[in-house]
Amino acid sequence: MAGRFGLPEPDAFTRTYWEAAAQGRLLIRRCRACGRAHHYPREFCPRCWSEDVAWEPASGRATLYTWSVVHRNDLPPFADRAPYVAAVVDLAEGPRMMTEVVGVGEPSAGEMPAGELSAGAELEVAFREGIPVFRVVPGPVGG
C-alpha cells in the first residue's frame, strides 16, 4: 500500500466531483424532487431520499461555521502542514462542508493570524492538489 494518505481515492460515483476539483471547480449535488443541495456527494437526497439528484456548480462562496487550529497531527501529510485550520463552512448554496482554511496562521508569511478568524467570516474556495480548501475573503482596505 504505497498510496498517499492526504489524497482521496475517487470511485465511479465521486470521479465527477474529483475531476471537477482538479480543474478548479467545486460541485455539489442538488435534489430535483425537493430542490435541496447537499454535500458530501451522495447518490440520493439525504432530506427526502429521492434518487433524482444531479451535479451542479457551486459558487465557491461560503461562511465560516466553526474551526479548530490543529497544532499536531502525526499522520502524513498533515505533520508537515501543522499548524493548520480544520473547519466546517456553510456553502452559499446551503450545505455544510468539512474543509481546511488556508492562508491563516503565519503573520510573518503574510497570513492572517488564526486568532483573527471569526464565525461568519466570508470565504472563497481555493484548490490545493485538486482538493477544495477555503481562504478568507479580504475585507475592504481601511476597514
Side-chain angles (χ1 to χ4, degrees), residues 85-98:
V85 178
V88 176
V89 301
D90 288 328
L91 298 175
E93 293 77 13
R96 285 199 170 138
M97 177 180 178
M98 292 183 68

Side-chain angles (χ1 to χ4, degrees), residues 26-31 35-40 42 46-47 56-65 88-98 134:
L26 180 61
L27 298 180
I28 57 173
R29 300 282 279 174
R30 184 168 304 274
C31 178
R36 304 278 301 264
H38 62 272
H39 187 81
Y40 61 91
R42 288 166 264 204
R47 308 285 183 194
E56 74 175 40
S59 67
R61 305 296 283 189
T63 56
L64 184 59
Y65 177 71
V88 176
V89 301
D90 288 328
L91 298 175
E93 293 77 13
R96 285 199 170 138
M97 177 180 178
M98 292 183 68
F134 284 79

Side-chain angles (χ1 to χ4, degrees), residues 1 4-5 7 12 17 19 24 39 41 50 57 61 64 66 68 77-78 84 89 96-97 102-103 109 122 130-131 142:
M1 187 164 130
R4 170 131 177 254
F5 291 103
L7 297 175
Y17 177 83
E19 286 176 354
H39 187 81
S50 171
R61 305 296 283 189
L64 184 59
T66 190
S68 180
F78 305 107
Y84 61 91
V89 301
R96 285 199 170 138
M97 177 180 178
V102 297
E122 291 184 46
I131 296 176

Side-chain angles (χ1 to χ4, degrees), residues 49-141:
W49 298 92
S50 171
E51 293 180 4
D52 189 11
V53 291
W55 294 107
E56 74 175 40
S59 67
R61 305 296 283 189
T63 56
L64 184 59
Y65 177 71
T66 190
W67 72 97
S68 180
V69 179
V70 178
H71 293 277
R72 182 179 173 132
N73 184 339
D74 294 331
L75 297 173
F78 305 107
D80 295 336
R81 292 188 192 150
Y84 61 91
V85 178
V88 176
V89 301
D90 288 328
L91 298 175
E93 293 77 13
R96 285 199 170 138
M97 177 180 178
M98 292 183 68
T99 188
E100 181 180 346
V101 176
V102 297
V104 176
E106 288 296 326
S108 61
E111 297 179 339
M112 167 195 279
E116 291 184 20
L117 283 175
S118 62
E122 291 184 46
L123 307 170
E124 61 189 4
V125 73
F127 293 88
R128 182 181 57 221
E129 298 179 36
I131 296 176
V133 295
F134 284 79
R135 61 179 165 232
V136 176
V137 174
V141 177

